[in-house]
Amino acid sequence: MTIVATEREPRGDAERVGPLEGAPADSQEIPGWSGRIMVWLRVVAQLVGIQVLMIVGTVLGLVVAGLGPALTSGSALLARLRSGDASDALWRDFWTEYLAHWRRASLVTAPAILAIALVWYELLVLQAYGSGALTAILTGASAAVGLCAIAYLSYAPHVLRRYDDPAFRTARFLLVGPLVSPLTALGCMVTGVALLVIGLRFPLLLVLVGLAIPVLLTGLLVDRFLDRVDARHDGEDEPSDGDDTSTAA
């Protein structure tokens, strides 16, 4: 099975925001431990700021139509933070990405959000009123569907950020992607579930970075997978020596 995705054109130099002074990439250039502490304080401030913006974007879209665009915008800002090109205008950059991705991201992520909500409700009902072997089977099936939806949703913001494919093609890629990269999908599912459990145990942590940290960590995993997909696709597009010879003839 071949997975093909159209990569977005890189931004022009005029549209790029200059590197944030004190970004992680520059931590080795700042002398002394106090300078490095300031670097990581700025990273924390960025994480909290992106978290707040993602919550606001999710609420504005009434969750179903807001979570996907908010995660995609947050993924773009967090990718810049990882690369050392952190935004110095979070508000403007977030909403620019949010509006640019709103329709496509909403269409792609809404089914997964609804599936997770239904699975959550069904698990609560089964735990409250179910019993016996049938309940165990239904619980396992519901949990499996929920984990697949979590994997789909974990891949979504990073795929939406990197590619401009139409909503249907993107959704098809997101359905296939976790199947052809099971270790990456497993890592995303474990990350999402673990941070959800931690967040329920420490609600303040969930409020402060409950979306930003999962998007940051899953971005590390999914981007590596997407880099391999791009490399494979580029390799297939390059003609072989035999093809060059036959064309020249």
Side-chain angles (χ1 to χ4, degrees):
M1 181 178 296
T2 302
I3 302 176
V4 178
T6 304
E7 190 164 6
R8 178 181 299 177
E9 292 294 328
R11 293 183 177 180
D13 292 336
E15 297 181 3
R16 291 184 63 83
V17 179
L20 176 66
E21 182 180 357
D26 302 323
S27 60
Q28 300 300 325
E29 300 176 7
I30 301 177
W33 60 269
S34 60
R36 296 185 181 182
I37 289 177
M38 292 301 297
V39 168
W40 291 108
L41 286 177
R42 298 197 72 177
V43 171
V44 172
Q46 285 260 325
L47 289 174
V48 174
I50 294 170
Q51 166 76 12
V52 171
L53 288 169
M54 285 196 288
I55 291 175
V56 173
T58 301
V59 172
L60 285 178
L62 301 177
V63 181
V64 174
L67 181 59
L71 293 178
T72 305
S73 301
S75 173
L77 294 175
L78 291 167
R80 292 179 57 182
L81 181 63
R82 294 200 319 262
S83 67
D85 183 26
S87 171
D88 57 358
L90 284 180
W91 179 270
R92 182 193 66 196
D93 293 342
F94 179 87
W95 294 113
T96 298
E97 294 283 344
Y98 187 93
L99 294 175
H101 293 288
W102 182 80
R103 182 176 181 276
R104 188 168 63 106
S106 299
L107 291 173
V108 168
T109 58
I113 296 169
L114 292 174
I116 292 173
L118 290 173
V119 166
W120 184 269
Y121 174 76
E122 184 174 352
L123 288 175
L124 291 177
V125 171
L126 288 172
Q127 293 300 314
Y129 303 105
S131 62
L134 180 59
T135 298
I137 294 173
L138 292 176
T139 299
S142 298
V145 172
L147 289 174
C148 290
I150 290 174
Y152 177 103
L153 198 59
S154 298
Y155 279 59
H158 315 296
V159 173
L160 289 164
R161 164 175 57 85
R162 289 176 57 136
Y163 307 110
D164 284 326
D165 297 284
F168 178 77
R169 183 179 297 178
T170 301
R172 184 177 61 187
F173 181 91
L174 291 171
L175 289 172
V176 175
L179 299 178
V180 299
S181 57
L183 293 179
T184 300
L186 180 61
C188 290
M189 289 186 288
V190 170
T191 299
V193 172
L195 289 171
L196 177 61
V197 172
I198 294 172
L200 293 176
R201 179 66 178 83
F202 303 99
L204 180 61
L205 185 63
L206 186 63
V207 172
L208 290 177
V209 290
L211 290 175
I213 293 297
V215 174
L216 177 66
L217 296 179
T218 57
L220 293 171
L221 297 172
V222 175
D223 278 339
R224 291 184 62 184
F225 163 66
L226 295 177
D227 288 341
R228 293 196 299 270
V229 172
D230 290 340
R232 187 181 309 160
H233 183 228
D234 292 341
E236 291 176 353
D237 287 344
E238 293 179 0
S240 64
D241 293 341
D243 292 336
D244 289 337
T245 302
S246 61
T247 302

